[in-house]
Amino acid sequence: MSTLEETIEIGVDGERIAGTFVTPGTLIPGVLFVHGWGGSQEQYRSRAREVAELGCVCLTFDLRGHAQTRTQFETVSRAQNLEDVVTAYDTLVKRRHVDPGAIAVVGSSYGGYLAAILTSMRKVRWLALRAPALYIDSGWKSPKLQLHKDQDLRTYRQRLVLASENRALKAMQAFEGDVMLIESECDAIIPRAVLTSYREAAIHARSLTYRCLGGADHGLTGERAQKNYTKVLETWLKEMVQGSRRSPATASAETPAPAPNASQAQSESPAPRAEAADGADSAREPAAEPRA
C-alpha cells in the first residue's frame, strides 16, 4: 500500500523538534446514512460499524426535529432537513482520507427522499434507498408535519409520478451513479407505486439493483427484517466498494433488470452478488412511523 508523509514540528519545553506523519496514501470511500422521519442516527449506528469494516468512513447524524432537537419536530421543514443532509455530506468529504469521488449515501423513507435530492447538489457515486418517500413539491418551506394536512399524499403515492413533476425524481433521473432500491413487501406507508416511480426515473443510472424484503413492514419490525436489510445493504456496498478498487478495465457495469415480484425472496438479484456478513441493528427503525 502506498503512503503519504507529512513533516511537522512538535513543540516541547519551548523548543521545536521535527517529526513525520506517515499515513495510508490510498483514499477510502465515505458512507453517509440518513434516517427516516421520527427516527435517529441510532437506527444506523450499528450498521455503520459493520460497513466501516469494509474499509469505509461512515457518518450517521440526527436530522433537526429529532433526538436532541426534538422540540423542533412540529416546525422543521424539508428545506431545513435538506440543509442538514448537505452539511453532513460536506463534513464527511472533508474528513481526512475520505475520497470525495467515492461517496455512498444510504437513506430510509423520508431520509431516502432527501438523499435522492442531495444527488442534484453534491457528488454521489452510490445511492441506496430503502422505502423512499415521495412528497409534492409545493410547501417546501412549510413544516414537514403540515404536509400531511395540506397534501393528499396517500393518493399521490398510489400513482406513477413522472420525474418532471417531482424534485426528488428529477434528481434521480439525472443521477449517473449506482442505485439500489429496497422495497418492504408489507409496507403500509410507502406503496410499490412509489418504488416504481423512483425506478422509472433512474434512466441514467450506471447500474440499478432492486430488492424486496419478504414479510417486512415499513419500520422493519422484528429481528429477521432487520437482519435481512442489513445483509442486503452490506452485500451491495461491499460489491460497490470492491468494484471501485479494481482497475477500470476489470470493473464491469451491472445491467438493470426488471424488478422482482414482492413475493420473491430478498436474496434474489438481477446479477450475482458477493456475500456479506449477516448482522442486526440493535435499534430497529420505529414501526410507528405513520407519517413518512
Side-chain angles (χ1 to χ4, degrees):
M1 178 183 293
S2 63
T3 60
L4 294 176
E5 296 187 7
E6 177 186 354
T7 58
I8 63 169
E9 289 188 341
I10 303 172
V12 56
D13 289 337
E15 298 184 58
R16 312 292 290 182
I17 57 177
T20 304
F21 269 118
V22 181
T23 58
T26 303
L27 295 177
I28 60 178
V31 184
L32 180 67
F33 293 91
V34 189
H35 68 78
W37 182 254
S40 74
Q41 64 172 318
E42 290 298 327
Q43 299 165 215
Y44 272 118
R45 191 167 289 172
S46 64
R47 290 190 179 103
R49 295 188 187 103
E50 296 187 35
V51 171
E53 293 180 0
L54 301 178
C56 302
V57 175
C58 299
L59 175 61
T60 65
F61 68 102
D62 295 318
L63 294 168
R64 274 180 287 179
H66 301 75
Q68 294 182 348
T69 59
R70 180 75 182 185
T71 54
Q72 301 176 40
F73 187 72
E74 296 184 357
T75 59
V76 71
S77 67
R78 285 179 290 175
Q80 291 172 305
N81 282 156
L82 180 59
E83 183 180 1
D84 298 338
V85 176
V86 171
T87 303
Y89 172 98
D90 291 343
T91 300
L92 175 62
V93 297
K94 291 176 183 176
R95 188 72 173 179
R96 190 177 181 86
H97 304 313
V98 170
D99 183 352
I103 301 297
V105 181
V106 179
S108 292
S109 193
Y110 178 55
Y113 168 79
L114 295 174
I117 297 176
L118 173 68
T119 65
S120 67
M121 306 171 69
R122 293 293 189 271
K123 185 176 182 179
V124 176
R125 184 166 180 176
W126 305 297
L127 181 66
L129 306 179
R130 187 191 70 78
L134 269 185
Y135 302 88
I136 301 171
D137 287 347
S138 61
W140 180 250
K141 294 185 178 181
S142 300
K144 193 270 185 187
L145 281 181
Q146 187 65 32
L147 301 180
H148 297 274
K149 299 178 181 179
D150 298 342
Q151 302 178 358
D152 185 0
L153 293 176
R154 182 177 294 275
T155 300
Y156 184 69
R157 293 171 177 175
Q158 291 290 344
R159 69 177 180 88
L160 179 65
V161 180
L162 300 179
S164 60
E165 303 174 10
N166 185 279
R167 183 176 180 181
L169 297 180
K170 192 175 296 183
M172 177 64 74
Q173 186 178 61
F175 184 62
E176 297 181 348
D178 299 282
V179 176
M180 180 168 69
L181 295 174
I182 304 175
E183 174 190 358
S184 290
E185 181 184 13
C186 302
D187 198 326
I189 307 300
I190 302 298
R192 169 167 287 195
V194 173
L195 274 296
T196 301
S197 293
Y198 274 96
R199 184 181 179 86
E200 291 296 315
I203 58 176
H204 294 118
R206 178 180 177 272
S207 70
L208 178 59
T209 302
Y210 194 100
R211 292 289 185 276
C212 180
L213 302 178
D217 62 10
H218 187 69
L220 299 182
T221 305
E223 185 176 357
R224 180 176 180 274
Q226 289 289 329
K227 283 186 175 182
N228 285 345
Y229 173 47
T230 298
K231 183 174 183 178
V232 165
L233 180 61
E234 284 188 11
T235 300
W236 183 76
L237 284 173
K238 182 177 181 180
E239 180 178 341
M240 294 299 106
V241 170
Q242 289 180 340
S244 72
R245 289 170 178 164
R246 298 195 299 265
S247 66
T250 59
S252 60
E254 179 180 289
T255 302
N261 294 327
S263 60
Q264 289 180 289
Q266 58 84 22
S267 60
E268 291 192 12
S269 167
R273 297 279 153 196
E275 289 301 319
D278 205 358
D281 198 341
S282 59
R284 74 172 178 84
E285 299 189 41
E289 194 176 318
R291 293 192 170 188

